[in-house]
Amino acid sequence: MSTLTFDTNSEGQSQMLIHPRYSCHPSVASLSSFLPSCKPFNLQVADLYCSACKCALCEDCLPNHAEHPKVALSQALEQHRNNLQERLGTVQDRLPQISDVLSFVKEILQQLTNQRASIEEDIQSSFEDLHKQLDVRKSVLLMELEVTYGLKQKVLQAQIDSLLRGEGDITTTCTQAEEALAGDPCVASLQVERELWERLGELAGLGLPCQPEENDQLDLVMETDGLRKSIHNLGTIVTTSAVASQSEAMGAGLEQCIVGHPASVTIVTRDKSGGACKSGNAILSAEVFTPDGSIVDGEIVDHKNGTYEFVYTVPKEGDFSLALRLYDQHIKGSPFKLTVTKTLEAELDVGAKRRGKSPGQKKKGSKRASSALGTPRRKTQNPIEDDLIFRIGTKGRNKGEFTNLQGVAASSNGRILIADSNNQCVQIFSNEGEFKSRFGVRGRSPGQLQRPTGVAVHPSGDIIIADYDNKWVSIFSCEGKFKAKLGSGRLMGPKGVSVDQNGHVIVVDNKACTVFIFQLTGKLITKFGSRGNGDKQFAGPHFAAVNKNNEIIVTDFHNHSVKVFTLEGELVLKFGSNGEGNGQFNAPTGVAVDINGNIIVADWGNSRIQVFDGSGSFLSYINTSADPLYGPQGLALTSDGHVVVADSGNHCFKVYRYLQ
């Protein structure tokens, strides 16, 4: 039985009739809930709809709605159906977005869980190690106690034994003498008495140890207050509540900077409610890049109060983009459009160079046996043969392609290793440039790579990778199988790695401005350096190499110099200053040492490679004029004696002839 019927009124129009006794039927109720009906007249007839009152009207209702706009009920029903459909589509369109966000948040939660497990493992391991050290120290103290007590006890016991013997001899002799004196004198006892008299004389002069030959001092000094305080403050769980969607950047460096001059951007981190974060240690990354890829690597300074400063220098003019990411997500407004221009003084300098006053004319006077050398950014009218042997790579994510390649290493078995930073992997090639393999999975768990920047090969064959964003160094087998990590909890932003002649791992911490030396097991041997421009200080150090004297050579990026240290951190040599002349730098990066002790340096801002002797005196350039470098990073010497460099701005690595 239907609750709705249709009839024709006096004007021949179709009408919907709703019988009163069926007005409470569920279908009618549902219709009424969707479209209010003519309740005053028991839903007799409803063929119109009052747009003002949002209700259905019958003929009896019309006088009360005479001034109101009205439409046919069927039209209202259709309109409401369309509105519902449109609203449904709008809401359904949100589902893919919600699904993506849900997946991303689940991934963050999983990474957080993995990180918790990793930290828990580190805590357990650290305290187990401390327990072992405490047990060892306890054993040493107990052993020392026994030895000290034994020595003292032996002296005192020997004295007691001596006194007891003396006491016994005296007592026995005295008793014998007293017995002799108690008897009647006679010739028979004369000999015995004479012997007793002589014996008593000996005992009277007997040298007994009558003063203590040792003391009873045996104390324990345990200065535990400092240790208890250290234990109380031992370990810190580091985190922030900062989120990218609320964090923002400010400063002149967001829009414009001058070629060759440092520009600065301030980042303010905020929590999900927009409140300013008050602590540091957030994981920030920053890149300045052209449309064809990343080229500029600056320095992020953590002010430890929730604000950060990104300082960078761009080597050429043009339109760039500045990407600022917090926990791998763009902050507000990122990426920013950036215009890089030259100053008037720079234009005048260009004019001076055209008139023959450029440092390049000086450089022509410096030659190596292989070729004449000029500025890599300037071609002569009679170009000479370039030292380039070959180049490998273009921008991309496939085998033999790179996105912001950084560190370079060369193995003794004829392999070239490239830290492909933004592709989160290490790619391996032969000395001839043939692709061999690659490994690496993006992530923040042990065995994963987030931002590999430095790479080295241990004499054991293990591959050592500095992971800037994960703040640790990972150890992989030569096949790319993860073995261990070191420096977690100590490192802030490891950039370059190297290995000394003892097999120790040298780590250049770019953020902490410190050089760390670890055993391969992860035990810290020593560290040196701090932020500043002093001889033993750094400003954004990048890479390191080790010479035949087992000295550590470090490139000091923002101090435009190269520094040589002993393993104990004592400065041996410093050379370089800011500029474009022979022996000057504009932010040095990669460094290597040849078998003669000569030092090869990648001059990032000047896009060239310089060669120095072991005392820091300029020798020559590697000629790169035919295919200029653009922001060179890591640098190494291959097993067949050539120089390989990561040409970051050109998304490739290049191999050059090098006569040692």
Short mmCIF file of all heavy atoms in Angstrom, two decimals, residues 136-176:
data_model
loop_
_atom_site.label_atom_id
_atom_site.label_comp_id
_atom_site.label_asym_id
_atom_site.label_seq_id
_atom_site.Cartn_x
_atom_site.Cartn_y
_atom_site.Cartn_z
N VAL A 136 84.32 -3.73 36.33
CA VAL A 136 85.77 -3.79 36.17
C VAL A 136 86.45 -2.94 37.22
O VAL A 136 87.44 -3.35 37.86
CB VAL A 136 86.18 -3.36 34.75
CG1 VAL A 136 87.69 -3.14 34.66
CG2 VAL A 136 85.73 -4.38 33.72
N ARG A 137 85.93 -1.72 37.42
CA ARG A 137 86.52 -0.82 38.41
C ARG A 137 86.39 -1.40 39.81
O ARG A 137 87.32 -1.30 40.62
CB ARG A 137 85.85 0.56 38.34
CG ARG A 137 86.46 1.60 39.27
CD ARG A 137 87.94 1.76 39.02
NE ARG A 137 88.57 2.67 39.96
CZ ARG A 137 89.88 2.72 40.17
NH1 ARG A 137 90.69 1.92 39.49
NH2 ARG A 137 90.39 3.56 41.05
N LYS A 138 85.25 -2.01 40.10
CA LYS A 138 85.06 -2.65 41.41
C LYS A 138 86.10 -3.75 41.61
O LYS A 138 86.71 -3.84 42.68
CB LYS A 138 83.65 -3.22 41.51
CG LYS A 138 83.36 -3.88 42.86
CD LYS A 138 81.92 -4.34 42.96
CE LYS A 138 81.68 -5.55 42.09
NZ LYS A 138 80.32 -6.12 42.28
N SER A 139 86.30 -4.56 40.58
CA SER A 139 87.29 -5.63 40.69
C SER A 139 88.69 -5.08 40.90
O SER A 139 89.47 -5.62 41.70
CB SER A 139 87.25 -6.50 39.42
OG SER A 139 85.99 -7.10 39.25
N VAL A 140 89.01 -4.00 40.19
CA VAL A 140 90.33 -3.38 40.34
C VAL A 140 90.52 -2.87 41.76
O VAL A 140 91.57 -3.07 42.38
CB VAL A 140 90.51 -2.25 39.31
CG1 VAL A 140 91.75 -1.42 39.63
CG2 VAL A 140 90.61 -2.81 37.91
N LEU A 141 89.49 -2.19 42.30
CA LEU A 141 89.58 -1.66 43.66
C LEU A 141 89.73 -2.79 44.68
O LEU A 141 90.54 -2.70 45.62
CB LEU A 141 88.36 -0.81 43.98
CG LEU A 141 88.33 0.60 43.40
CD1 LEU A 141 87.00 1.28 43.70
CD2 LEU A 141 89.47 1.44 43.96
N LEU A 142 88.95 -3.86 44.53
CA LEU A 142 89.05 -4.99 45.45
C LEU A 142 90.42 -5.64 45.37
O LEU A 142 91.00 -6.04 46.40
CB LEU A 142 87.95 -6.02 45.14
CG LEU A 142 86.52 -5.59 45.49
CD1 LEU A 142 85.51 -6.60 44.97
CD2 LEU A 142 86.36 -5.38 47.00
N MET A 143 90.94 -5.75 44.15
CA MET A 143 92.28 -6.32 43.99
C MET A 143 93.33 -5.42 44.62
O MET A 143 94.25 -5.88 45.32
CB MET A 143 92.58 -6.52 42.51
CG MET A 143 93.89 -7.24 42.23
SD MET A 143 94.17 -7.44 40.46
CE MET A 143 92.77 -8.45 40.04
N GLU A 144 93.19 -4.12 44.39
CA GLU A 144 94.12 -3.16 44.99
C GLU A 144 94.05 -3.22 46.51
O GLU A 144 95.07 -3.12 47.20
CB GLU A 144 93.80 -1.76 44.48
CG GLU A 144 94.78 -0.69 44.92
CD GLU A 144 94.43 0.68 44.38
OE1 GLU A 144 93.68 0.75 43.39
OE2 GLU A 144 94.90 1.68 44.97
N LEU A 145 92.84 -3.38 47.03
CA LEU A 145 92.67 -3.49 48.47
C LEU A 145 93.40 -4.72 49.00
O LEU A 145 94.11 -4.66 50.02
CB LEU A 145 91.17 -3.58 48.80
CG LEU A 145 90.80 -3.87 50.26
CD1 LEU A 145 91.27 -2.73 51.17
CD2 LEU A 145 89.30 -4.09 50.40
N GLU A 146 93.24 -5.85 48.33
CA GLU A 146 93.88 -7.09 48.77
C GLU A 146 95.40 -6.97 48.72
O GLU A 146 96.11 -7.41 49.63
CB GLU A 146 93.41 -8.26 47.90
CG GLU A 146 92.00 -8.71 48.19
CD GLU A 146 91.80 -9.08 49.65
OE1 GLU A 146 92.60 -9.88 50.18
OE2 GLU A 146 90.87 -8.55 50.27
N VAL A 147 95.93 -6.38 47.65
CA VAL A 147 97.38 -6.23 47.53
C VAL A 147 97.93 -5.32 48.62
O VAL A 147 98.93 -5.64 49.29
CB VAL A 147 97.74 -5.69 46.13
CG1 VAL A 147 99.22 -5.30 46.06
CG2 VAL A 147 97.42 -6.73 45.06
N THR A 148 97.28 -4.17 48.82
CA THR A 148 97.74 -3.22 49.83
C THR A 148 97.66 -3.82 51.22
O THR A 148 98.60 -3.72 52.03
CB THR A 148 96.90 -1.93 49.76
OG1 THR A 148 96.94 -1.41 48.43
CG2 THR A 148 97.43 -0.88 50.72
N TYR A 149 96.53 -4.47 51.51
CA TYR A 149 96.38 -5.12 52.81
C TYR A 149 97.45 -6.21 52.98
O TYR A 149 98.05 -6.34 54.05
CB TYR A 149 94.99 -5.74 52.94
CG TYR A 149 94.86 -6.69 54.10
CD1 TYR A 149 94.72 -6.22 55.41
CD2 TYR A 149 94.93 -8.07 53.89
CE1 TYR A 149 94.63 -7.10 56.47
CE2 TYR A 149 94.84 -8.96 54.96
CZ TYR A 149 94.69 -8.46 56.25
OH TYR A 149 94.61 -9.34 57.31
N GLY A 150 97.67 -6.99 51.95
CA GLY A 150 98.64 -8.07 52.04
C GLY A 150 100.04 -7.58 52.36
O GLY A 150 100.76 -8.19 53.17
N LEU A 151 100.44 -6.49 51.73
CA LEU A 151 101.77 -5.94 51.99
C LEU A 151 101.90 -5.47 53.43
O LEU A 151 102.89 -5.76 54.12
CB LEU A 151 102.06 -4.80 51.02
CG LEU A 151 102.22 -5.19 49.54
CD1 LEU A 151 102.33 -3.94 48.67
CD2 LEU A 151 103.45 -6.07 49.36
N LYS A 152 100.90 -4.73 53.87
CA LYS A 152 100.93 -4.24 55.26
C LYS A 152 100.86 -5.40 56.25
O LYS A 152 101.58 -5.46 57.26
CB LYS A 152 99.77 -3.26 55.49
CG LYS A 152 99.97 -1.89 54.88
CD LYS A 152 98.75 -1.01 55.14
CE LYS A 152 99.02 0.44 54.78
NZ LYS A 152 99.92 1.11 55.75
N GLN A 153 99.97 -6.34 56.00
CA GLN A 153 99.78 -7.48 56.90
C GLN A 153 101.07 -8.30 57.00
O GLN A 153 101.43 -8.79 58.08
CB GLN A 153 98.63 -8.35 56.38
CG GLN A 153 98.29 -9.53 57.27
CD GLN A 153 98.97 -10.81 56.81
OE1 GLN A 153 99.55 -10.83 55.72
NE2 GLN A 153 98.95 -11.83 57.65
N LYS A 154 101.79 -8.44 55.90
CA LYS A 154 103.02 -9.22 55.90
C LYS A 154 104.08 -8.57 56.79
O LYS A 154 104.78 -9.26 57.56
CB LYS A 154 103.54 -9.34 54.46
CG LYS A 154 104.76 -10.23 54.33
CD LYS A 154 105.17 -10.37 52.86
CE LYS A 154 106.38 -11.29 52.73
NZ LYS A 154 106.79 -11.45 51.31
N VAL A 155 104.19 -7.26 56.73
CA VAL A 155 105.16 -6.54 57.56
C VAL A 155 104.81 -6.70 59.03
O VAL A 155 105.67 -7.02 59.89
CB VAL A 155 105.22 -5.06 57.15
CG1 VAL A 155 106.05 -4.24 58.14
CG2 VAL A 155 105.79 -4.91 55.75
N LEU A 156 103.56 -6.45 59.36
CA LEU A 156 103.14 -6.52 60.76
C LEU A 156 103.24 -7.95 61.29
O LEU A 156 103.63 -8.17 62.45
CB LEU A 156 101.72 -5.98 60.91
CG LEU A 156 101.56 -4.47 60.66
CD1 LEU A 156 100.08 -4.08 60.65
CD2 LEU A 156 102.30 -3.67 61.72
N GLN A 157 102.86 -8.92 60.49
CA GLN A 157 102.93 -10.30 60.94
C GLN A 157 104.38 -10.74 61.16
O GLN A 157 104.68 -11.47 62.12
CB GLN A 157 102.26 -11.22 59.91
CG GLN A 157 102.09 -12.65 60.39
CD GLN A 157 101.20 -12.76 61.62
OE1 GLN A 157 100.08 -12.23 61.63
NE2 GLN A 157 101.70 -13.41 62.68
N ALA A 158 105.27 -10.29 60.31
CA ALA A 158 106.69 -10.61 60.49
C ALA A 158 107.21 -10.01 61.79
O ALA A 158 108.01 -10.64 62.53
CB ALA A 158 107.49 -10.10 59.30
N GLN A 159 106.76 -8.77 62.09
CA GLN A 159 107.17 -8.13 63.35
C GLN A 159 106.62 -8.90 64.54
O GLN A 159 107.33 -9.13 65.54
CB GLN A 159 106.70 -6.68 63.38
CG GLN A 159 107.19 -5.93 64.62
CD GLN A 159 106.75 -4.47 64.63
OE1 GLN A 159 106.00 -4.04 63.77
NE2 GLN A 159 107.24 -3.71 65.60
N ILE A 160 105.39 -9.33 64.44
CA ILE A 160 104.78 -10.12 65.53
C ILE A 160 105.55 -11.42 65.73
O ILE A 160 105.87 -11.82 66.87
CB ILE A 160 103.30 -10.38 65.23
CG1 ILE A 160 102.50 -9.09 65.36
CG2 ILE A 160 102.73 -11.46 66.15
CD1 ILE A 160 101.05 -9.21 64.91
N ASP A 161 105.85 -12.10 64.65
CA ASP A 161 106.59 -13.36 64.75
C ASP A 161 107.95 -13.15 65.41
O ASP A 161 108.39 -13.95 66.25
CB ASP A 161 106.76 -13.98 63.37
CG ASP A 161 105.44 -14.44 62.77
OD1 ASP A 161 104.46 -14.59 63.54
OD2 ASP A 161 105.38 -14.65 61.53
N SER A 162 108.61 -12.06 65.03
CA SER A 162 109.93 -11.76 65.61
C SER A 162 109.82 -11.50 67.10
O SER A 162 110.63 -11.99 67.91
CB SER A 162 110.54 -10.57 64.88
OG SER A 162 111.79 -10.22 65.46
N LEU A 163 108.83 -10.70 67.49
CA LEU A 163 108.63 -10.39 68.91
C LEU A 163 108.26 -11.64 69.71
O LEU A 163 108.70 -11.83 70.84
CB LEU A 163 107.55 -9.32 69.06
CG LEU A 163 107.95 -7.91 68.60
CD1 LEU A 163 106.73 -7.00 68.58
CD2 LEU A 163 109.04 -7.33 69.51
N LEU A 164 107.43 -12.49 69.10
CA LEU A 164 107.04 -13.72 69.80
C LEU A 164 108.25 -14.64 70.01
O LEU A 164 108.40 -15.27 71.08
CB LEU A 164 105.96 -14.46 69.00
CG LEU A 164 104.56 -13.84 69.04
CD1 LEU A 164 103.62 -14.57 68.08
CD2 LEU A 164 103.99 -13.87 70.47
N ARG A 165 109.12 -14.70 69.01
CA ARG A 165 110.31 -15.52 69.18
C ARG A 165 111.21 -14.96 70.28
O ARG A 165 111.75 -15.69 71.12
CB ARG A 165 111.08 -15.60 67.86
CG ARG A 165 110.45 -16.54 66.84
CD ARG A 165 111.43 -16.81 65.70
NE ARG A 165 111.86 -15.58 65.02
CZ ARG A 165 111.22 -15.05 64.00
NH1 ARG A 165 110.11 -15.61 63.52
NH2 ARG A 165 111.68 -13.95 63.44
N GLY A 166 111.40 -13.64 70.24
CA GLY A 166 112.22 -13.00 71.28
C GLY A 166 111.63 -13.20 72.67
O GLY A 166 112.35 -13.49 73.64
N GLU A 167 110.30 -13.02 72.74
CA GLU A 167 109.62 -13.19 74.03
C GLU A 167 109.78 -14.64 74.53
O GLU A 167 110.04 -14.90 75.71
CB GLU A 167 108.14 -12.85 73.88
CG GLU A 167 107.36 -12.97 75.20
CD GLU A 167 105.88 -12.73 74.99
OE1 GLU A 167 105.35 -13.19 73.95
OE2 GLU A 167 105.26 -12.07 75.84
N GLY A 168 109.66 -15.59 73.65
CA GLY A 168 109.80 -17.00 74.04
C GLY A 168 111.20 -17.33 74.52
O GLY A 168 111.38 -18.04 75.54
N ASP A 169 112.21 -16.83 73.80
CA ASP A 169 113.60 -17.08 74.19
C ASP A 169 113.89 -16.49 75.57
O ASP A 169 114.53 -17.12 76.44
CB ASP A 169 114.55 -16.50 73.15
CG ASP A 169 114.53 -17.29 71.84
OD1 ASP A 169 114.00 -18.42 71.84
OD2 ASP A 169 115.00 -16.75 70.80
N ILE A 170 113.44 -15.25 75.79
CA ILE A 170 113.69 -14.58 77.07
C ILE A 170 112.98 -15.33 78.20
O ILE A 170 113.55 -15.57 79.28
CB ILE A 170 113.23 -13.12 77.00
CG1 ILE A 170 114.15 -12.33 76.06
CG2 ILE A 170 113.21 -12.48 78.38
CD1 ILE A 170 113.69 -10.92 75.79
N THR A 171 111.70 -15.69 77.96
CA THR A 171 110.94 -16.38 79.01
C THR A 171 111.60 -17.71 79.37
O THR A 171 111.76 -18.05 80.56
CB THR A 171 109.50 -16.62 78.53
OG1 THR A 171 108.88 -15.37 78.24
CG2 THR A 171 108.68 -17.35 79.59
N THR A 172 111.99 -18.46 78.38
CA THR A 172 112.62 -19.77 78.64
C THR A 172 113.93 -19.63 79.40
O THR A 172 114.19 -20.34 80.38
CB THR A 172 112.86 -20.49 77.31
OG1 THR A 172 111.60 -20.67 76.63
CG2 THR A 172 113.52 -21.85 77.53
N THR A 173 114.77 -18.70 78.96
CA THR A 173 116.08 -18.51 79.59
C THR A 173 115.92 -18.01 81.01
O THR A 173 116.65 -18.44 81.94
CB THR A 173 116.92 -17.55 78.76
OG1 THR A 173 117.02 -18.04 77.41
CG2 THR A 173 118.33 -17.41 79.34
N CYS A 174 114.98 -17.05 81.18
CA CYS A 174 114.74 -16.52 82.54
C CYS A 174 114.27 -17.62 83.48
O CYS A 174 114.66 -17.69 84.66
CB CYS A 174 113.73 -15.39 82.50
SG CYS A 174 114.38 -13.86 81.77
N THR A 175 113.41 -18.49 83.00
CA THR A 175 112.91 -19.60 83.83
C THR A 175 114.06 -20.52 84.23
O THR A 175 114.17 -20.95 85.40
CB THR A 175 111.84 -20.38 83.06
OG1 THR A 175 110.76 -19.52 82.73
CG2 THR A 175 111.33 -21.56 83.88
N GLN A 176 114.93 -20.80 83.26
CA GLN A 176 116.08 -21.66 83.56
C GLN A 176 117.01 -21.01 84.59
O GLN A 176 117.54 -21.67 85.49
CB GLN A 176 116.84 -21.98 82.27
CG GLN A 176 116.08 -22.87 81.31
CD GLN A 176 116.79 -23.03 79.98
OE1 GLN A 176 117.78 -22.34 79.71
NE2 GLN A 176 116.28 -23.96 79.16
#
